[in-house]
PDB file of all heavy atoms in Angstrom:
ATOM      1  N   GLY B 203      13.678 -16.308 -13.814  1.00 86.00           N
ATOM      2  CA  GLY B 203      13.400 -14.911 -13.473  1.00 86.00           C
ATOM      3  C   GLY B 203      12.352 -14.785 -12.392  1.00 86.00           C
ATOM      4  O   GLY B 203      12.480 -13.960 -11.476  1.00 86.00           O
ATOM      5  N   ALA B 241      12.731   2.599  13.461  1.00 93.00           N
ATOM      6  CA  ALA B 241      14.165   2.286  13.510  1.00 93.00           C
ATOM      7  C   ALA B 241      14.437   1.083  12.615  1.00 93.00           C
ATOM      8  O   ALA B 241      13.528   0.422  12.110  1.00 93.00           O
ATOM      9  CB  ALA B 241      14.623   2.010  14.948  1.00 93.00           C
ATOM     10  N   LEU B 291      17.426   5.812   9.800  1.00 90.00           N
ATOM     11  CA  LEU B 291      16.943   4.688  10.587  1.00 90.00           C
ATOM     12  C   LEU B 291      18.032   3.995  11.385  1.00 90.00           C
ATOM     13  O   LEU B 291      17.745   3.027  12.090  1.00 90.00           O
ATOM     14  CB  LEU B 291      16.258   3.671   9.671  1.00 90.00           C
ATOM     15  CG  LEU B 291      14.977   4.153   8.980  1.00 90.00           C
ATOM     16  CD1 LEU B 291      14.360   3.018   8.184  1.00 90.00           C
ATOM     17  CD2 LEU B 291      13.981   4.695   9.991  1.00 90.00           C
ATOM     18  N   GLN B 319     -13.840  32.150   9.332  1.00 60.00           N
ATOM     19  CA  GLN B 319     -13.249  30.925   8.809  1.00 60.00           C
ATOM     20  C   GLN B 319     -12.972  31.082   7.322  1.00 60.00           C
ATOM     21  O   GLN B 319     -13.766  31.651   6.583  1.00 60.00           O
ATOM     22  CB  GLN B 319     -14.191  29.739   9.026  1.00 60.00           C
ATOM     23  CG  GLN B 319     -14.240  29.251  10.454  1.00 60.00           C
ATOM     24  CD  GLN B 319     -15.079  27.990  10.553  1.00 60.00           C
ATOM     25  OE1 GLN B 319     -16.019  27.807   9.793  1.00 60.00           O
ATOM     26  NE2 GLN B 319     -14.743  27.123  11.497  1.00 60.00           N
ATOM     27  N   LYS B 362     -13.097  30.648  16.661  1.00 45.00           N
ATOM     28  CA  LYS B 362     -12.948  29.585  17.658  1.00 45.00           C
ATOM     29  C   LYS B 362     -11.762  28.674  17.352  1.00 45.00           C
ATOM     30  O   LYS B 362     -11.725  27.531  17.770  1.00 45.00           O
ATOM     31  CB  LYS B 362     -14.226  28.759  17.784  1.00 45.00           C
ATOM     32  CG  LYS B 362     -15.419  29.557  18.268  1.00 45.00           C
ATOM     33  CD  LYS B 362     -16.627  28.680  18.469  1.00 45.00           C
ATOM     34  CE  LYS B 362     -17.803  29.490  18.987  1.00 45.00           C
ATOM     35  NZ  LYS B 362     -18.995  28.650  19.188  1.00 45.00           N
ATOM     36  N   CYS B 432      27.597   4.262  20.312  1.00 91.00           N
ATOM     37  CA  CYS B 432      26.159   4.335  20.577  1.00 91.00           C
ATOM     38  C   CYS B 432      25.606   2.930  20.733  1.00 91.00           C
ATOM     39  O   CYS B 432      25.910   2.038  19.929  1.00 91.00           O
ATOM     40  CB  CYS B 432      25.444   5.078  19.450  1.00 91.00           C
ATOM     41  SG  CYS B 432      23.658   5.149  19.624  1.00 91.00           S
TER      42      CYS B 432
END
Side-chain angles (χ1 to χ4, degrees):
L291 295 184
Q319 285 186 329
K362 297 184 179 180
C432 177

